[in-house]
Amino acid sequence: MLFPQNMPLLRTLKCNIILPRIPFHLYNRNYCHSGAGESFVPFDALVSQRRNEARRSLLVEVAGLPSSVDLHQVCSQYGAVQKMFHYTTRQGSVNKEMILVEFDKAESLERALQSTRSPPIDRIIPVHSPFVWLSASQPAPRNRKANIGSSTDIIQETVPSDEELQLQLSQSRDLSEQIQNVYECQKLTELGSRLRFFTCRQVEVALSGLFPQACILPFGSSVNSFGRVNCDLDMILELFDVSNQDSTQRLVFQAKKSRSAANPRITMQRHMEVISDILDNFVPGCSQVRKILAARVPIIKYRQDLTDMECDLSMANRSGFYMSEMLYLYGSMDKRVRPLVFAIRKWAKDRHVTSPYAGRWVTNFSLTLLVLFYLMKTSPPVIPPLQTLIKLAGDDDVRTADGINCTFLRDLRIVTASDNKQSLEDLLRGFFEFYDKFSFKERGLSIVRGDDFVKPEHSALYIQNPLERELNVSRNVTLEELERLRTEITHARYRLEEYTQHIEEQEQQPWGLLSLWGTSRKPQAHRGLNASIDWQGVFHIQEQETPPTSNKQLNVLPVHAATKSNEKVPSNGEKARNNTKFQPVERTKMLKEELIMPSDLNGLVTKLKRNVVQKNANGRKNKKQKMNKVMYKW
Ligand code: GTP
Ligand code: MG
């Protein structure tokens, strides 16, 4: 081994997240008294633990994994090191080796940062931040007190490639196990979660001089437990919190009067202009900074190259955070919810029902609500409607944000487990069957009541916003896109039906989820990634009441001169938070040619239906008998 004798012993621990198989007959029958399980961690506790880790963490670029020995020794001068995670990120053609170091105490990190030096200032802008690099070793000063006795594992997480996932799925024992495996392989990893909170912390640190109370909270899939590895990072910035102040204090900060106090929206846009300039000019790793300030919820989009993630930063959107908490609670309520949502999100992504780009199609958020609604409609229900959680809420659960009541039960330990014992396979089939028959034309869906209702307006798809109940979260979805969704649902339903009937003939064929994803089909164009997109429509850009800056720069203009506004299409930020105001994007000729149209699929679906009917007519064993046969196989 390369390590010198006087170095602390470092072990490389390879954490492969492909888990050993779970005996599937045990899965989902393993209920405890509480639906969420005794190990349930309340959302607030989870967020505060992650924020705390981020406050004690340092991200260090190193020459390679062997430098971790050196790094451990350097860091140990300032205090005990608790954990070290290694990952590689790619910038252009260059790989960067990164180590996230977690100290035992925040003071140790402070000491480390106080001793950190800046490179020569003629080349760069020196910035104080927890993003550093480890320079080549120099002779150690005599008084250096390295914590020689300690050791720390270097944790590396391996995420299976698409090919590995496919292999694993093809070797799964049944569809339920496939669904569980998709979840285990694709869920956000420990490092992924830490890096998201750490990326938030970076912006807090950057603003802390003027705003020591600045708080950046992640929301969306980074924290709602439905996030995939590499999902984007949605953030809310709150510059100050005046709610918890002692109003009897005699000393009061001097402050400037806001220039556009009469219009809080313009004030917010001005603030975001400044923040985006700070990110663009000073904050290490931030690139491709763009301001989308005229959207209903103004956002700053950027890429954090060193933590390798796409970021959307908004201000004053705390209800989005509570929305994520609500989804987190539903994900925790029953072990089947997250795997099912993952499998359906993956199906929708692969069938191009959803897209990373905003537009007139269903978003992951809407799709998740569709799954939750279905799970409320099973018999017996897998999860209760939101109004049950609202009724159970205590005094500690009261929250309001932006004038919206976000009160619901937070501690799931008092919620008992569902009596529903269906397998993941049954639930997946049930999902497709349920929505294949659902009357989207006339009915809207509400997870608040756990029931459908007559649509109050003519949007193609009506999913009630669970917190702002007069809004439809899927108002952006056009009739054509809804039709595509329905057709894909019918297609999936009959694919699964066919798989059941041919189970013993399919040894060599893609089966179960693999047959749904259509791996053999030619790749389709990414919707929305096209220069002719109507940006005004996508972001619902309005004329500014008063230009926030003298040069009138606003809208989707890149901050960075080298970034063209149409190079990268914004993903989630404009989000359907733009809700009711979303405008459709024109489909281009190219997209028309490459997208599979509902009519194409109808042919396929019809064919599949015919197969099923034909085989039943031929007196083949019915589905139940077939399934029994499958069960006996192992
Ligand atoms: P990914 O596709 O993995 O990013 O999922 P996501 O849940 O993070 O979705 P997205 O980034 O599009 O949105 C982030 C969060 O914004 C969601 O989790 C919701 O809390 C909120 N959001 C998204 N779409 C809507 C919408 O249509 N209406 C409202 N009110 N909030 C939305
Ligand atoms: Mg997101």
Side-chain angles (χ1 to χ4, degrees):
M1 206 65 186
L2 294 170
F3 303 156
Q5 298 235 316
N6 59 348
M7 293 288 169
L9 176 65
L10 293 180
R11 283 169 289 144
T12 299
L13 176 69
K14 202 96 169 147
C15 293
N16 194 327
I17 65 165
I18 302 178
L19 297 179
R21 301 242 178 89
I22 304 164
F24 234 77
H25 57 285
L26 293 181
Y27 184 74
N28 88 29
R29 287 176 178 79
N30 197 8
Y31 286 103
C32 56
H33 178 66
S34 151
E38 294 312 315
S39 57
F40 169 70
V41 182
F43 190 69
D44 280 348
L46 180 89
V47 169
S48 110
Q49 181 208 319
R50 289 286 185 213
R51 277 170 60 77
N52 191 287
E53 280 163 6
R55 280 171 190 279
R56 291 183 278 111
S57 298
L58 183 70
L59 185 62
V60 190
E61 185 182 337
V62 293
L65 192 56
S67 309
S68 57
V69 181
D70 217 5
L71 177 64
H72 184 273
Q73 191 181 28
V74 170
C75 288
S76 299
Q77 296 172 84
Y78 308 109
V81 170
Q82 195 154 319
K83 286 199 175 112
M84 293 171 87
F85 292 83
H86 169 257
Y87 66 95
T88 307
T89 175
R90 199 166 177 80
Q91 268 178 41
S93 56
V94 182
N95 276 348
K96 282 186 184 280
E97 304 296 328
M98 310 296 298
I99 294 183
L100 185 70
V101 180
E102 185 197 354
F103 285 100
D104 237 1
K105 298 200 176 93
E107 299 81 62
S108 311
L109 174 65
E110 267 321 301
R111 274 197 293 276
L113 289 178
Q114 270 161 23
S115 314
T116 302
R117 68 181 166 95
S118 285
I121 53 170
D122 52 327
R123 285 188 307 162
I124 47 87
I125 304 163
V127 173
H128 184 97
S129 100
F131 285 58
V132 303
W133 51 276
L134 183 69
S135 64
S137 62
Q138 289 169 1
R142 279 202 199 130
N143 59 355
R144 182 188 275 189
K145 279 194 244 148
N147 197 349
I148 302 277
S150 67
S151 76
T152 304
D153 291 335
I154 303 291
I155 301 171
Q156 287 185 307
E157 294 174 336
T158 315
V159 176
S161 65
D162 276 359
E163 290 71 33
E164 286 164 338
L165 175 63
Q166 281 186 20
L167 183 66
Q168 188 169 7
L169 296 193
S170 66
Q171 292 168 353
S172 302
R173 280 169 292 188
D174 61 7
L175 185 51
S176 293
E177 192 177 273
Q178 281 189 330
I179 297 169
Q180 185 69 23
N181 282 338
V182 168
Y183 171 61
E184 299 296 349
C185 291
Q186 298 214 312
K187 70 181 176 190
L188 200 55
T189 61
E190 168 74 16
L191 175 62
S193 186
R194 282 172 181 256
L195 284 177
R196 276 164 176 73
F197 279 83
F198 187 70
T199 304
C200 292
R201 176 72 189 147
Q202 183 192 33
V203 184
E204 273 178 10
V205 171
L207 301 175
S208 61
L210 277 176
F211 304 102
Q213 292 176 8
C215 170
I216 304 224
L217 291 171
F219 72 108
S221 53
S222 297
V223 286
N224 67 18
S225 75
F226 297 119
R228 293 181 67 217
V229 270
N230 301 333
C231 67
D232 69 349
L233 170 62
D234 304 290
M235 298 179 272
I236 308 160
L237 164 61
E238 291 174 341
L239 286 179
F240 27 67
D241 179 10
V242 284
S243 58
N244 291 328
Q245 291 195 128
D246 178 357
S247 55
T248 61
Q249 286 300 328
R250 300 282 312 279
L251 296 179
V252 180
F253 286 117
Q254 290 279 1
K256 277 189 129 174
K257 197 164 178 193
S258 164
R259 282 191 209 148
S260 36
N263 190 334
R265 183 180 164 81
I266 293 184
T267 307
M268 194 207 303
Q269 287 171 339
R270 281 180 190 276
H271 292 168
M272 293 185 77
E273 286 262 329
V274 176
I275 289 161
S276 73
D277 284 344
I278 292 174
L279 292 175
D280 196 35
N281 287 296
F282 302 121
V283 182
C286 295
S287 68
Q288 302 170 30
V289 184
R290 283 157 292 154
K291 298 171 272 190
I292 302 165
L293 302 183
R296 192 172 83 97
V297 177
I299 55 164
I300 301 168
K301 293 184 80 67
Y302 68 95
R303 206 188 126 65
Q304 175 42 267
D305 292 328
L306 298 171
T307 55
D308 193 16
M309 61 190 68
E310 302 295 329
C311 306
D312 286 358
L313 179 66
S314 57
M315 289 176 80
N317 186 26
R318 183 53 93 125
S319 62
F321 180 73
Y322 294 135
M323 186 82 87
S324 305
E325 181 171 22
M326 185 201 75
L327 294 184
Y328 171 82
L329 292 172
Y330 274 117
S332 309
M333 222 170 271
D334 187 286
K335 285 179 185 172
R336 292 165 290 180
V337 177
R338 288 172 185 154
L340 192 66
V341 169
F342 266 72
I344 291 170
R345 279 187 173 208
K346 168 91 173 113
W347 159 79
K349 175 171 173 276
D350 279 42
R351 302 301 297 191
H352 301 268
V353 167
T354 52
S355 158
Y357 308 104
R360 55 189 184 182
W361 30 86
V362 176
T363 60
N364 269 331
F365 175 62
S366 301
L367 194 65
T368 306
L369 294 184
L370 285 180
V371 181
L372 295 183
F373 180 79
Y374 158 68
L375 292 175
M376 291 170 187
K377 297 293 278 180
T378 52
S379 177
V382 176
I383 49 174
L386 184 61
Q387 66 185 6
T388 306
L389 300 189
I390 295 172
K391 277 187 202 143
L392 290 170
D395 291 347
D396 290 350
D397 298 318
V398 176
R399 309 275 192 286
T400 39
D402 321 317
I404 303 160
N405 188 349
C406 303
T407 302
F408 43 79
L409 178 76
R410 259 75 190 178
D411 187 353
L412 293 183
R413 280 170 289 205
I414 63 167
V415 178
T416 49
S418 162
D419 289 333
N420 184 306
K421 303 282 188 277
Q422 284 177 278
S423 68
L424 281 169
E425 170 163 351
D426 289 343
L427 290 174
L428 184 71
R429 288 173 190 281
F431 172 85
F432 291 125
E433 276 165 36
F434 180 81
Y435 284 113
D436 196 22
K437 292 186 198 141
F438 191 83
S439 171
F440 290 104
K441 195 172 165 205
E442 278 135 32
R443 315 291 292 173
L445 306 95
S446 163
I447 69 154
V448 180
R449 298 197 331 236
D451 214 348
D452 48 283
F453 55 92
V454 177
K455 280 202 290 196
E457 38 105 331
H458 295 295
S459 305
L461 177 61
Y462 197 103
I463 305 174
Q464 183 190 42
N465 183 320
L467 297 179
E468 292 173 88
R469 304 204 181 121
E470 65 294 348
L471 298 181
N472 170 12
V473 299
S474 52
R475 178 128 186 218
N476 59 309
V477 179
T478 59
L479 204 53
E480 188 193 17
E481 287 298 328
L482 177 67
E483 209 36 55
R484 275 178 45 74
L485 170 69
R486 287 208 60 143
T487 313
E488 286 291 355
I489 284 174
T490 314
H491 178 227
R493 181 182 170 186
Y494 285 97
R495 275 311 255 189
L496 289 181
E497 194 71 22
E498 212 191 34
Y499 141 68
T500 312
Q501 299 207 353
H502 290 275
I503 194 89
E504 72 286 338
E505 298 162 20
Q506 296 196 347
E507 295 280 292
Q508 306 304 320
Q509 307 259 340
W511 61 274
L513 285 184
L514 292 171
S515 72
L516 291 191
W517 295 344
T519 43
S520 60
R521 288 169 51 172
K522 69 168 183 170
Q524 299 169 32
H526 264 310
R527 281 182 279 176
L529 188 61
N530 193 288
S532 63
I533 274 176
D534 169 11
W535 288 109
Q536 300 258 334
V538 173
F539 298 115
H540 181 61
I541 289 165
Q542 311 152 339
E543 280 302 309
Q544 293 301 297
E545 298 89 335
T546 317
T549 56
S550 53
N551 64 6
K552 301 194 182 185
Q553 180 210 34
L554 198 70
N555 305 345
V556 196
L557 290 182
V559 178
H560 206 285
T563 316
K564 292 191 191 104
S565 62
N566 59 10
E567 256 177 19
K568 194 139 197 236
V569 181
S571 54
N572 314 304
E574 57 288 353
K575 302 181 175 163
R577 295 189 298 244
N578 288 341
N579 258 320
T580 55
K581 309 229 172 129
F582 236 88
Q583 302 277 319
V585 175
E586 279 308 303
R587 192 192 287 269
T588 63
K589 184 167 178 294
M590 176 198 88
L591 294 174
K592 259 188 195 147
E593 282 165 6
E594 300 218 24
L595 277 171
I596 292 195
M597 304 300 287
S599 50
D600 301 337
L601 276 170
N602 275 334
L604 182 54
V605 170
T606 319
K607 235 164 56 192
L608 289 168
K609 268 186 191 166
R610 210 179 306 124
N611 282 346
V612 172
V613 173
Q614 185 72 45
K615 277 159 197 159
N616 283 339
N618 287 346
R620 293 178 65 101
K621 287 178 185 156
N622 68 24
K623 177 179 156 193
K624 192 133 194 162
Q625 286 169 311
K626 282 281 166 190
M627 286 312 293
N628 286 341
K629 191 168 172 196
V630 178
M631 298 293 288
Y632 285 125
K633 266 188 160 175
W634 58 87

